[in-house]
């Protein structure tokens, strides 16, 4: 039987379709990592960037318009909208395979991978696009990829032509001191961080190797983590557009977004261990403890606070509270005519650099026992806890015969007052704790007392305080800093 030309063409078409279906089925069953590696090795055609939309407010946003603007440039553009929980009101997203909604909060009915946004990303690069942005010119993402591949910066950014376009900043993050310092960027358009609205592109592996890759606010968290690693961002003159119907158009929506944004930012900074942010011009933002909150660390064991084991020093908010409390106590003592002097580690800090030792957790003062009766506040503390009009708490310590002044009823950062009395020319006291510096000493170190700068004011100190300190701590103690209990943890890091 001979086939007609029409039958042959039909058979060929059926065969070709079967081959295409077989190839698609085979490709579908390959591991995603294999498909991704193959696409990266091959042609550069097709999307190489996944759009990540994380920074938006569920109650008022322009996310559907943002997504649509990128799909108009390329209908196959991968887009992942990331939220903690299911947005409400629901987002009107296109129901197509390359647009996904990723929820970060785990759920009983979903696998663990569903809560990890990297599960949804199969491209080499990701672009973090904030709400209100709009793609208007073709090739913007590819241009950003080209600049990133050229090397020099680990991130590239393009401003959004909004009322708050991004600008370059220098950023220094000190984990040890719990601080982040922002300033003008010396080499813009290359910088450490951005302030304002921008699309930021980086390699997916770089983003998802950060400890908190999509924590909100995204810009704050991202640049704190990348600046700490020494990564830089390069700003491009390649602006993205603004949504035709911008989000947060009403005063109420803006107020709500600002309120929730401040709360998120404070929670993020505390979670990342940043207690003080310093801005260009000297403006300070504090995110640690205050009079209404507990202090930043718990009970100290073995003279070694928990933060030292984290390779950090005293949080700056705690140092601020200690300085304020010490100034207050010295003012009370001087007004009452109570003779006092800097003791122990506090004197050591004053002798070394005129301040509290950067890893210390309290302040110690010695006082003459016979002068206690001159001070109304100390007399009151002998009978029970006293809270003064500024919120400081004066009390008799439960550990022994000495006084303690706490920053507040909630915050127990404190100054200890140790009552000494002379006996045969030697200063002694009734309560001794297991501290190496807690020893008797000749009274002549207190005759006379001398002024010494400390914690932002001038305090009284023993004369010849070098010899006094070496009597208590050993030779060379001023020049050789060490943690309070080197047997547990030394300044060099060994324990």
């Amino acid at each position: 039987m001979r086939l007609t030309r029409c039958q042959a063409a039909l058979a060929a078409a059926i065969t070709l379709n079967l081959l295409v279906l077989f190839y698609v089925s085979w490709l579908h069953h390959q591991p995603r990592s294999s498909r991704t590696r193959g696409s990266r090795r091959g042609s550069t055609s097709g999307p190489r960037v996944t759009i990540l939309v994380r920074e938006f407010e569920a109650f008022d946003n322009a996310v559907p318009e943002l997504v649509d603007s990128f799909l108009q440039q390329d209908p196959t553009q991968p887009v992942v909208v990331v939220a903690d929980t299911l947005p409400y009101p629901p987002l009107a997203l296109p129901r197509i395979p390359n647009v996904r909604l990723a929820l970060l909060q785990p759920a009983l009915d979903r696998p663990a991978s569903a809560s990890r946004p990297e599960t949804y990303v199969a491209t080499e690069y990701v672009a973090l696009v904030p709400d209100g942005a709009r793609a208007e010119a073709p090739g913007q993402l590819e241009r950003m990829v080209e600049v990133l591949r050229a090397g020099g910066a680990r991130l590239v950014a393009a401003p959004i032509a909004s009322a708050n376009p991004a600008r370059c900043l220098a950023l220094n993050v000190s984990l040890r001191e719990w601080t982040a310092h922002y300033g003008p960027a010396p080499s813009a358009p290359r910088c450490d961080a951005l302030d304002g609205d921008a699309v930021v592109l980086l390699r997916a592996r770089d983003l998802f190797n950060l400890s908190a890759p999509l924590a909100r606010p995204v810009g704050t968290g991202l640049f704190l983590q990348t600046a700490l690693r020494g990564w830089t961002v390069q700003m491009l003159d390649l602006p993205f557009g603004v949504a035709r119907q911008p989000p947060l158009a009403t005063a109420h929506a803006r107020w709500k977004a600002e309120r929730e944004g401040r709360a998120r930012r404070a929670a993020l900074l505390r979670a990342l261990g940043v207690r003080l942010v310093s801005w260009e011009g000297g403006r300070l933002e504090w995110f640690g403890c205050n009079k209404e909150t507990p202090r930043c660390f718990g009970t100290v064991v073995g003279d070694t606070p928990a933060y030292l084991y984290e390779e950090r020093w005293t949080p700056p908010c705690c140092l601020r509270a200690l300085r304020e409390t010490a100034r207050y106590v010295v003012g009370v003592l001087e007004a009452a005519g109570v003779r006092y002097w800097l003791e122990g580690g506090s004197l050591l800090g004053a002798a070394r650099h005129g301040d509290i030792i950067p890893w210390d957790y309290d302040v110690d003062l010695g006082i003459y026992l016979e002068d206690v009766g001159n001070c109304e506040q100390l007399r009151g503390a002998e009978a029970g806890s006293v809270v003064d009009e500024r919120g400081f708490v004066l009390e008799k310590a439960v550990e022994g015969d000495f006084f303690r002044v706490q920053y507040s009823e909630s915050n127990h950062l404190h100054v200890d007052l140790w009552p000494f009395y002379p006996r045969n020319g030697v200063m002694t006291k009734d309560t001794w704790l297991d501290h190496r510096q807690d020893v008797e000493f000749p009274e002549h170190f207190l005759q006379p007392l001398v002024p010494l700068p400390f914690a932002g004011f001038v305090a009284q100190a023993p004369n010849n305080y070098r010899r006094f300190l070496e009597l208590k701590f050993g030779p060379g103690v001023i020049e050789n800093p060490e943690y309070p209990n080197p047997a547990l943890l030394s300044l060099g890091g060994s324990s």
Side-chain angles (χ1 to χ4, degrees), residues 158-174:
I160 297 171
S162 66
N164 185 33
R167 62 190 183 97
C168 267
L169 293 173
L171 172 58
N172 179 267
V173 181
S174 173

Side-chain angles (χ1 to χ4, degrees), residues 397-453:
V398 297
E399 302 96 314
D401 190 21
F402 63 98
F403 296 93
R404 176 163 290 159
V405 183
Q406 295 180 161
Y407 187 47
S408 72
E409 292 183 281
S410 300
N411 192 325
H412 294 172
L413 288 159
H414 59 267
V415 173
D416 285 335
L417 302 174
W418 300 93
F420 284 82
Y421 54 90
R423 185 170 60 193
N424 299 325
V426 174
M427 297 300 291
T428 187
K429 57 189 175 77
D430 293 332
T431 296
W432 300 93
L433 302 181
D434 189 20
H435 300 154
R436 59 175 176 159
Q437 72 271 21
D438 202 11
V439 297
E440 297 178 334
F441 58 90
E443 188 179 12
H444 66 72
F445 282 110
L446 308 180
Q447 297 175 342
L449 293 166
V450 298
L452 194 64

Side-chain angles (χ1 to χ4, degrees), residues 196-211:
D197 301 327
V199 173
V200 180
L201 183 137
L202 69 163
R203 287 178 172 82
R205 67 170 182 265
D206 283 348
L207 176 65
F208 294 120
N209 277 332
L210 299 176
S211 59

